Amino acid sequence: MDLYQQALRPLLFSGLKADPETVHRQFMRACDWANCRCDSRRLAGGHRNLTAAAIQRWQKSCSICDPRLTQKLWGLEFMNPLGLAAGFDKDGVATNLWPSFGFGFAEVGTVTFHAQPGNPKPRLFRLPQDQAAINRMGFNNQGAAQMTATLAASQYHRPQNHHPIGINLGKSKITPLEQAAEDYLGSFRLLKEYGDYFVVNVSSPNTPGLRSLQAVEQLEPILTALQTENQGDKPLLVKISPDLAWEDLDAIATLAQTHELAGIIATNTTIQRQGLQTQRLSTGNPPDQEAGGLSGRPVRQRSTEIIRHLWQQTQGQLPIIGVGGIFTGTDAWEKLVAGASLLQVYTGWTYEGPWIVRKILAELLRKLDQHALPSLSAAVGAAHRGQNTD
């Protein structure tokens, strides 16, 4: 299981001297190809048996199945609490493949109503000394209509063992801020049939003015439009920034409850740069001179603090998906006992490799045994109930 960290990661990160986005793009092409083979009905004879067997062996090496890890939220069953965060599979091309990496669910996107190329390159940087990344991708994606076609084809061949798929919605760059509600609504209408839950992303730092939509007076029209169209059919969440002030977090939590949102995702990337060890990026500039959102280890503590605060403000009545700096089972446990019902990884997955899911789940099971808890649900918010969670 250390093969990735000892051999493959050094090759990908430095040996090939490839742009991180190029590596990611090639990986997603491979995933797109493999995604089609997840349905054995597309293959014939021995190819079907060989492909199915290979996928099963890979999934067994990456995952753990234990009823204590299951979570039930919004009428959906999650085989385990660890999902792939939005931003990795931007166009939803590998939805059938992510369970094979052990994930309990996956969130695709961010998708915008209009297809868009994103920001100029380079726009993705690794900070290995900090176990972090900076991205300013700018919601590059093929658009909601193309994702609808992709998911329609993929779900026709969806594995019988269903894993929830979330769809993360963003605002198109060409759409004026005052027309944001219509833009989000257009994407939602196209994709409603294909997502198990939906996320309103108003917290990326890489689309001009987007974070201003977190202000209650701008966020409310978006939520009103979506919930009017939704009519309670699909769970709708909002994804927030780690850079919000406490009073702004409270306002969003109140708004989420008023509009009967299914939950909050805490958190997106940060624009802060304090305490980084990395002195220079591939551009030759220090991190504080490169725009973009910082993810990975440096976000861990702040995202956990926000989870803890939101749980307290909502008395645990608003489910939280915790994301930001999860690399180990201890990181995951901290977010669960702080109040997160589900978790997501992205940067940690790229640093630790495909077996991170299995390692985290195994550690969570050890934590349950250590604290004599019958299930993961019993651990959610445990730190607020005076339980020993160390």
Side-chain angles (χ1 to χ4, degrees), residues 150-389:
T150 299
L151 294 182
S154 184
Q155 291 195 6
Y156 178 76
H157 298 282
R158 200 165 184 180
Q160 191 173 18
N161 188 12
H162 175 67
H163 284 65
I165 296 295
I167 300 178
N168 189 291
L169 307 175
K171 185 191 76 67
S172 305
K173 187 175 182 179
I174 65 172
T175 300
L177 288 172
E178 58 270 19
Q179 297 175 22
E182 291 83 359
D183 193 85
Y184 282 97
L185 185 58
S187 296
F188 181 68
R189 282 173 172 160
L190 287 171
L191 290 160
K192 183 179 178 183
E193 180 182 348
Y194 302 104
D196 294 301
Y197 72 87
F198 286 81
V199 180
V200 180
N201 187 346
V202 288
S203 51
S204 169
N206 302 317
T207 295
L210 186 77
R211 282 189 165 191
S212 68
L213 296 178
Q214 292 179 112
V216 168
E217 63 274 12
Q218 297 203 56
L219 181 57
E220 186 158 26
I222 298 171
L223 300 182
T224 298
L226 290 172
Q227 288 293 58
T228 299
E229 176 73 21
N230 188 25
Q231 293 293 307
D233 288 345
K234 295 295 175 80
L236 184 67
L237 297 85
V238 64
K239 187 168 186 176
I240 60 172
S241 164
D243 302 322
L244 288 171
W246 297 118
E247 57 268 25
D248 295 325
L249 286 168
D250 295 344
I252 290 177
T254 299
L255 188 65
Q257 291 179 303
T258 300
H259 286 270
E260 299 181 333
L261 295 194
I264 292 178
I265 299 186
T267 61
N268 212 317
T269 57
T270 180
I271 59 173
Q272 303 300 318
R273 299 288 191 267
Q274 293 94 338
L276 296 178
Q277 297 182 44
T278 302
Q279 299 296 311
R280 291 284 184 274
L281 300 180
S282 57
T283 59
N285 296 326
D288 61 2
Q289 291 184 18
E290 294 289 357
L294 177 72
S295 63
R297 277 284 186 199
V299 191
R300 181 186 62 83
Q301 183 175 350
R302 176 62 178 172
S303 67
T304 303
E305 289 172 353
I306 288 176
I307 291 166
R308 186 178 298 112
H309 181 82
L310 289 172
W311 172 276
Q312 292 171 340
Q313 290 301 112
T314 63
Q315 276 128 28
Q317 298 304 303
L318 192 64
I320 300 167
I321 298 180
V323 55
I326 297 176
F327 283 70
T328 68
T330 299
D331 299 333
W333 181 255
E334 286 178 352
K335 283 179 167 49
L336 288 166
V337 299
S341 295
L342 296 170
L343 306 165
Q344 292 177 333
V345 294
Y346 182 154
T347 305
W349 199 58
T350 64
Y351 274 91
E352 298 298 307
W355 294 284
I356 185 178
V357 178
R358 183 181 181 89
K359 289 189 284 188
I360 287 175
L361 296 179
E363 179 61 22
L364 290 179
L365 288 171
R366 286 193 289 270
K367 290 286 189 180
L368 291 178
D369 290 339
Q370 177 185 340
H371 296 285
L373 294 172
S375 68
L376 205 66
S377 298
V380 175
H384 302 275
R385 298 189 288 270
Q387 296 175 237
N388 178 17
T389 57

Side-chain angles (χ1 to χ4, degrees), residues 57-64 100-102 354-355 357-358 361:
R57 283 197 299 271
W58 176 258
Q59 183 166 357
K60 187 175 181 181
S61 75
C62 291
S63 63
I64 291 179
S100 301
F101 286 96
W355 294 284
V357 178
R358 183 181 181 89
L361 296 179

